[in-house]
Amino acid sequence: MSVLELTDITGGYGETEILHSVSMRVDEKEIVVIIGPNGAGKSTAMKAVFGLLNLTAGTVRLNDKDITHLAPEQVVRKGVCYVPQVGNVFPNLSVEENLEMGAYVRTDDFGPRIQEMYELFPDLRTKRSEAAGALSGGQRQMVAMAKALMLDPKILLLDEPTAGLSPKYRGEIFRVVRDINSIGVAILMVEQNAKQALNIADRGYILVDGQNRMDDTGPALLSNPEVGEMFLGGGTDKAA
Amino acid sequence: MIDLLNFHIIPGLVLGSIYALGAIGVSLVFGILRFANFAHGDTMTLGTYITYTFIHLTPLYGIVALPLALLIAVPAAMIATGLIVLIIDRLFYRPFRNSPVIIVVIASFGMMLMIRSSIEMIWGPQLKAMITGIQPPWFFFDTIRVLPKHVAILIAALVLMGIIHYLLSHTKIGKAMRAMADSPDLARVTGIDTERVVKATWMIGTALAVAAGVFLALDGQMKPLMGFSVLLAVFASAILGGIGRPYGAMAGGLVIGVAEELSTYPWIGDGPLLSPGYKAGVSFAIMVAMLIWRPNGLFKGKVF
């Protein structure tokens, strides 16, 4: 059964239409990756889920319930958490305060959950009282992911989690994404490092010019010569 | 030298803590709602008149002594004024939440005039006194001379700032306010109830404005223009501390208050360096200088 299903999404920011009838779905416990050239509408597709877009057509369904027109804070309450590409932590709040904010809608005791997050991201435990803005890019990304996981979401949306990170941290992020997935959280992520991403993905979607170009399983896309030529070639991705 | 302490530094600290309380509110509103609230000075005035009403037009003052009457009336006025400000926000600011900032700034400018006119219509334009009679000063070591009301104002301001610090650093709503000041968009996708944070911001900023107004009235007189007349100094304090940063606003207020009072000390010759009539010019000069050379405030980087 699909956790998240986008059907014929059309829309953009203000008057500009960026997505033209885009459809995709994420099934339970899946890792789904969206790849495509710059400006293809990858991040925009993700924002559509969160009600951050003007949609002129199409529906977003979560566990078969229509969430197309919900405000972002309501989508969060339904169990969808989103890590934007930039500005994804509160820089002047400490690491621990960031996690507390991630749990804002929880009314129960989330202390144990914070401890779980420190186990998942051991680096953060020592930095717990430091301002998130003072951390390195990779650590900030971990704060952002831990913050999003505080709600124990059904599905996690990650917008280019490895953008601008060193190869060491890139590998670390992909490892963590797999860990998160293995505890039952479905993941939809946009990724520039297509090869690494497809390696851990169950399925992938390729968007071009705001339209679906191709979708298949991760391994199938990796071995597809057309995909290889477009996104994986050139030996640019040494870390893979 | 002792005159410097008695007649300039101590009154400067008192004035400074009043500015600081006002500036925290301006800074919080700026940080979270992203606009400079011109009506803040007149919110101070409104709160002062409501406090006055609670004290003098109810049997309260007859039953208990003035300090206790103030302790009851001021919190009541904070709540009453806060509720009025929430209604103002709902009717005049919230419709412009997603409009360009200048629109809501002008709305607050209009609100400023409306609040002031309402005060003049309800309570009249004449001067009033929150307390009457002359208080003898206290002397320490035979030379240091302090008015009891100044001691009370300084202590109360410190307590209020302590409460604000606790609120911002230890409570869920305070942390959410800081989070929203950092990034309103991220706050929304994190699930923070931003309208609730906005309401809390208005209540807290207004409560401090009421305290500042009452202290100003205790220190001098009550008149419908009292809040507006310190608005410039309050804005200067907020900018000095780095607008949007409540702790900076506390420091900025104290600096501006002391600077204004020090400007009238006879540093050169016998007369005051600056005629007291030009005191307000000091805060204006500091504000302009800050905007030119340090527009991010004295304490760059650290927000809370």
Side-chain angles (χ1 to χ4, degrees):
Chain A
M1 190 188 107
S2 296
V3 182
L4 187 70
E5 190 166 13
L6 282 73
T7 316
D8 296 328
I9 292 288
T10 300
Y13 310 100
E15 298 292 299
T16 336
E17 194 178 291
I18 294 173
L19 301 176
H20 316 284
S21 199
V22 168
S23 299
M24 54 182 70
R25 63 165 218 282
V26 182
D27 292 343
E28 247 170 70
K29 296 178 183 167
E30 260 192 331
I31 298 181
V32 175
V33 172
I34 310 174
I35 56 178
N38 284 334
K42 305 183 296 284
S43 304
T44 313
M46 213 165 246
K47 286 180 184 156
V49 177
F50 246 79
L52 297 169
L53 216 59
N54 283 339
L55 294 185
T56 48
T59 53
V60 182
R61 301 175 77 80
L62 179 73
N63 289 324
D64 252 3
K65 282 196 222 57
D66 194 334
I67 59 161
T68 317
H69 300 290
L70 293 186
E73 47 264 47
Q74 291 167 310
V75 178
V76 174
R77 279 169 200 274
K78 301 270 179 210
V80 184
C81 286
Y82 168 54
V83 180
Q85 185 186 345
V86 289
N88 50 22
V89 296
F90 298 113
N92 289 296
L93 268 59
S94 71
V95 169
E96 185 141 326
E97 285 170 340
N98 266 280
L99 300 190
E100 288 170 24
M101 284 302 108
Y104 186 86
V105 305
R106 283 178 73 150
T107 48
D108 56 338
D109 175 27
F110 51 80
R113 185 69 180 166
I114 289 186
Q115 293 311 317
E116 281 172 44
M117 287 304 119
Y118 288 148
E119 261 143 55
L120 191 59
F121 305 95
D123 280 11
L124 300 186
R125 191 190 293 273
T126 51
K127 307 265 180 189
R128 58 202 291 176
S129 47
E130 276 180 46
L135 302 182
S136 73
Q139 289 167 334
R140 263 209 306 274
Q141 193 62 42
M142 291 183 181
V143 175
M145 288 165 73
K147 169 176 158 295
L149 286 170
M150 284 301 293
L151 289 182
D152 215 344
K154 297 188 193 91
I155 177 164
L156 183 63
L157 311 187
L158 301 171
D159 193 351
E160 300 210 18
T162 66
L165 298 186
S166 66
K168 176 193 157 228
Y169 267 121
R170 234 187 282 162
E172 179 79 3
I173 295 285
F174 281 118
R175 178 190 68 75
V176 169
V177 167
R178 230 176 326 183
D179 285 356
I180 295 168
N181 179 248
S182 69
I183 54 174
V185 183
I187 285 170
L188 175 64
M189 69 176 189
V190 170
E191 213 12 274
Q192 288 284 359
N193 299 301
K195 206 171 194 172
Q196 269 175 304
L198 288 174
N199 258 324
I200 63 164
D202 293 300
R203 288 185 303 111
Y205 288 88
I206 296 179
L207 292 191
V208 177
D209 293 333
Q211 285 171 314
N212 285 83
R213 168 64 71 86
M214 212 184 282
D215 60 282
D216 212 329
T217 63
L221 284 174
L222 266 178
S223 56
N224 183 319
E226 195 190 339
V227 176
E229 186 140 333
M230 271 165 68
F231 305 111
L232 309 175
T236 48
D237 211 333
K238 294 186 192 79
Chain B
M1 253 341 253
I2 204 70
D3 281 357
L4 178 67
L5 183 66
N6 286 342
F7 299 110
H8 297 276
I9 293 180
I10 293 173
L13 288 174
V14 172
L15 192 62
S17 47
I18 293 171
Y19 291 165
L21 292 175
I24 296 168
V26 165
S27 240
L28 284 175
V29 169
F30 188 87
I32 286 150
L33 288 132
R34 313 266 150 173
F35 78 96
N37 177 21
F38 275 87
H40 201 73
D42 291 276
T43 307
M44 283 166 62
T45 317
L46 179 65
T48 312
Y49 276 82
I50 291 177
T51 307
Y52 176 87
T53 305
F54 283 159
I55 290 180
H56 292 279
L57 302 183
T58 64
L60 190 62
Y61 194 16
I63 301 166
V64 294
L66 184 76
L68 191 56
L70 278 172
L71 275 181
I72 299 169
V74 171
M78 284 174 171
I79 293 169
T81 316
L83 292 177
I84 293 171
V85 170
L86 283 187
I87 294 169
I88 290 172
D89 177 64
R90 181 69 193 80
L91 295 178
F92 297 94
Y93 303 147
R94 194 166 136 184
F96 303 119
R97 214 66 107 212
N98 296 315
S99 310
V101 170
I102 187 66
I103 291 176
V104 71
V105 171
I106 299 299
S108 81
F109 198 89
M111 222 39 247
M112 166 183 101
L113 300 173
M114 284 165 70
I115 295 174
R116 193 185 314 155
S117 304
S118 307
I119 291 169
E120 284 174 347
M121 282 197 307
I122 297 169
W123 286 281
Q126 69 277 25
L127 290 175
K128 289 182 192 300
M130 185 71 84
I131 48 170
T132 46
I134 295 167
Q135 283 185 312
W138 289 336
F139 283 92
F140 297 99
F141 312 113
D142 289 339
T143 46
I144 302 172
R145 171 187 173 281
V146 197
L147 290 171
K149 64 183 179 188
H150 282 176
V151 176
I153 290 172
L154 282 173
I155 292 174
L158 271 177
V159 169
L160 284 170
M161 289 183 208
I163 293 174
I164 290 301
H165 169 70
Y166 177 80
L167 209 73
L168 289 174
S169 58
H170 285 88
T171 66
K172 185 176 175 182
I173 191 74
K175 289 174 191 174
M177 285 169 69
R178 289 164 51 209
M180 198 172 156
D182 261 7
S183 167
D185 290 340
L186 184 62
R188 288 185 74 204
V189 300
T190 302
I192 293 174
D193 184 346
T194 50
E195 279 305 316
R196 208 176 108 91
V197 174
V198 166
K199 287 194 185 93
T201 306
W202 282 120
M203 287 304 284
I204 293 164
T206 304
L208 296 178
V210 172
V214 171
F215 295 162
L216 200 60
L218 289 174
D219 199 28
Q221 292 157 323
M222 273 174 71
K223 55 188 177 197
L225 267 173
M226 59 182 273
F228 180 67
S229 65
V230 298
L231 185 67
L232 184 68
V234 164
F235 269 46
S237 307
I239 290 169
L240 187 63
I243 189 137
R245 303 171 184 191
Y247 294 127
M250 295 179 195
L254 290 175
V255 171
I256 298 269
V258 172
E260 281 193 5
E261 293 295 336
L262 286 184
S263 69
T264 61
Y265 185 72
W267 295 102
I268 308 164
D270 292 334
L273 182 67
L274 209 62
S275 157
Y278 291 112
K279 260 200 303 199
V282 174
S283 53
F284 192 61
I286 294 177
M287 185 166 90
V288 170
M290 287 300 296
L291 286 174
I292 294 173
W293 287 296
R294 295 290 293 268
N296 292 324
L298 282 179
F299 318 97
K300 278 189 209 169
K302 202 84 179 117
V303 175
F304 280 95

